[in-house]
Amino acid sequence: MDNNSTCASHQSLEAIRYNKGQLKILNQLLLPTEHQYESILGIKDGWHAIRDMKVRGAPAIAIVGMLSLAVELQPKTFARMADFNKFIKDSLEYLKGARPTAVNIFLACDLINKLTDNLSILGDEGVGAAKTEVIRHIEEMLLKDVESNKLIGRYGAEAILARVANRGKINVLTHCNTGSLATAGYGTALGVIRSLFNLGVIETVYCTETRPYNQGSRLTAFELVHDHIPATLITDSMASLVMKTKNVSAVVVGADRVLANGDTANKIGTYQLAIAAKFHRIPFYIAAPTTTIVLDDSDSIVIEERSHKELTEIKGIQIAPTGINVYNPAFDVTPAELITGIITEVGVFPPNELK
């Protein structure tokens, strides 16, 4: 862990720092008041950073998980290909258990598993080359995420502006955190907002606080202030009124899992925003890389339920009576019919055209 902990507003926004064999993550539990990086020395550190939500956001979860494997793999040597394969498969299975809903880490694990299977043909003599290739492939994931996010931003901005009759400045509403802190950089839904801001068309971004973990007030508001994007923080329960009275042109949010039929799992509260947007005839967009899309018709999305303390306590201070029952799902599923378009790095698609 870095010893220095300073005021966050004076630091650059970089959730993941990686150099060959060294990985540090910004502890997002301490934001917005502290800016502290922690070293990730291997897969156990990676698992706990993901599980404890020191790092969050489906793309960032996948990248940190895979990079934690690369860090642990770097100093290791293997005499046999079978030992190498077992280490990779056991490590990936362990990492998948950190958080069950975000699909990106599952897809990344499948990709590395298939790569390892293909590399088995090299035999025991090629085990060193196989290790090098796996690490190289993981490192490429970091670079590709930033590139895809910038494309998402561009396509999303174009799609939103195409539906605006008056090409003046617009108001946009977003939920949770989908920016540099949730990805390798730039962001998905917040990347769309950054692109709109760079085009000079943002009047105000309305960001929800996103209870119970306050990713909106702690993280999204922090990113918007850092980038000097005009923004207003609202409580989750104010969203319908804001849509009615503040001339919102679009709602854009991220995703943790998108099914082939367009149904989308995202941070709890997304579903009700989509309903409110539909009522107020406001376009509702999902911004997510194609790695978040699962091209099957399964409706068995596992919804993670988190500790009751997230609702009954704030920083250890009890705010609800002892003995009250708590229901705390981390995600909900928005039906495809409420979604205007799904913004990806290859374009914007109606939910029924994902296949």
Side-chain angles (χ1 to χ4, degrees):
M1 182 187 300
D2 285 358
N3 293 325
N4 59 319
S5 176
T6 59
C7 178
S9 62
H10 299 297
Q11 305 290 325
S12 62
L13 284 182
E14 191 178 17
I16 302 167
R17 289 181 175 177
Y18 178 77
N19 287 309
K20 199 79 171 178
Q22 294 185 325
L23 173 63
K24 292 185 179 182
I25 56 124
L26 182 62
N27 185 347
Q28 296 183 31
L29 297 177
L30 303 178
L31 292 174
T33 56
E34 294 181 73
H35 196 109
Q36 184 169 284
Y37 284 88
E38 295 189 6
S39 293
I40 303 296
L41 303 178
I43 60 170
K44 287 186 178 180
D45 287 348
W47 190 96
H48 284 287
I50 294 166
R51 184 65 181 176
D52 297 340
M53 292 182 69
K54 293 178 180 179
V55 62
R56 19 75 47 214
I61 286 171
I63 291 165
V64 168
M66 295 304 98
L67 288 176
S68 74
L69 173 59
V71 167
E72 185 155 333
L73 193 57
Q74 189 74 41
K76 285 186 176 293
T77 56
F78 301 89
R80 301 188 310 145
M81 183 64 78
D83 296 334
F84 172 71
N85 286 347
K86 185 177 187 307
F87 172 79
I88 295 292
K89 292 182 185 300
D90 289 349
S91 298
L92 295 174
E93 199 61 34
Y94 174 71
L95 287 166
K96 286 193 287 187
R99 296 193 71 191
T101 305
V103 71
N104 301 53
I105 192 167
F106 288 83
L107 297 178
C109 287
D110 289 345
L111 202 63
I112 298 301
N113 261 325
K114 289 176 183 176
L115 175 63
T116 305
D117 289 341
N118 291 337
L119 292 170
S120 295
I121 196 172
L122 297 177
D124 292 345
E125 292 183 358
V127 69
K131 186 188 88 167
T132 299
E133 182 62 15
V134 167
I135 292 172
R136 185 191 67 79
H137 202 90
I138 289 172
E139 290 171 345
E140 281 186 355
M141 291 180 181
L142 185 66
L143 300 174
K144 288 179 179 177
D145 188 63
V146 177
E147 293 170 1
S148 70
N149 288 344
K150 289 183 177 179
L151 289 170
I152 288 169
R154 190 185 92 193
Y155 290 131
E158 291 172 355
I160 289 171
L161 291 177
R163 298 179 69 100
V164 176
N166 178 6
R167 281 303 187 95
K169 292 198 172 185
I170 64 172
N171 298 322
V172 179
L173 190 148
T174 192
H175 186 57
C176 197
N177 175 257
T178 57
S180 296
L181 298 174
T183 63
Y186 203 71
T188 54
L190 204 51
V192 173
I193 289 169
R194 282 191 167 98
S195 293
L196 288 167
F197 176 68
N198 290 336
L199 292 171
V201 297
I202 286 288
E203 181 73 33
T204 299
V205 177
Y206 290 96
C207 63
T208 62
E209 61 177 349
T210 319
R211 284 284 293 147
Y213 225 67
N214 294 321
Q215 293 99 322
S217 58
R218 290 190 302 106
L219 306 177
T220 297
F222 173 62
E223 290 202 44
L224 292 167
V225 169
H226 182 278
D227 286 5
H228 305 290
I229 299 174
T232 298
L233 178 65
I234 62 172
T235 66
D236 298 354
S237 54
M238 295 175 186
S240 293
L241 181 62
V242 168
M243 291 182 196
K244 180 180 179 180
T245 62
K246 298 298 183 181
N247 194 28
V248 173
S249 294
V251 179
V252 58
V253 302
D256 286 84
R257 185 178 295 230
V258 180
L259 297 184
N261 66 0
D263 291 352
T264 298
N266 192 47
K267 182 55 55 189
I268 191 72
T270 301
Y271 183 19
Q272 63 197 31
L273 287 177
I275 293 170
K278 187 81 169 181
F279 179 83
H280 291 96
R281 298 180 181 179
I282 297 171
F284 184 90
Y285 290 97
I286 299 293
T290 51
T291 53
T292 307
I293 300 170
V294 181
L295 288 178
D296 59 40
D297 293 316
S298 170
D299 60 356
S300 57
I301 298 176
V302 177
I303 300 297
E304 176 187 3
E305 290 194 34
R306 296 188 60 82
S307 169
H308 69 277
K309 289 184 177 180
E310 292 182 2
L311 270 70
T312 61
E313 297 180 5
I314 294 180
K315 291 190 173 181
I317 299 172
Q318 186 171 330
I319 60 170
T322 301
I324 186 67
N325 292 327
V326 170
Y327 178 50
N328 186 23
F331 306 92
D332 56 30
V333 179
T334 300
E337 54 264 35
L338 298 178
I339 299 169
T340 306
I342 295 174
I343 306 164
T344 75
E345 74 276 19
V346 294
V348 182
F349 303 92
N352 62 358
E353 293 184 11
L354 287 180
K355 290 184 178 180

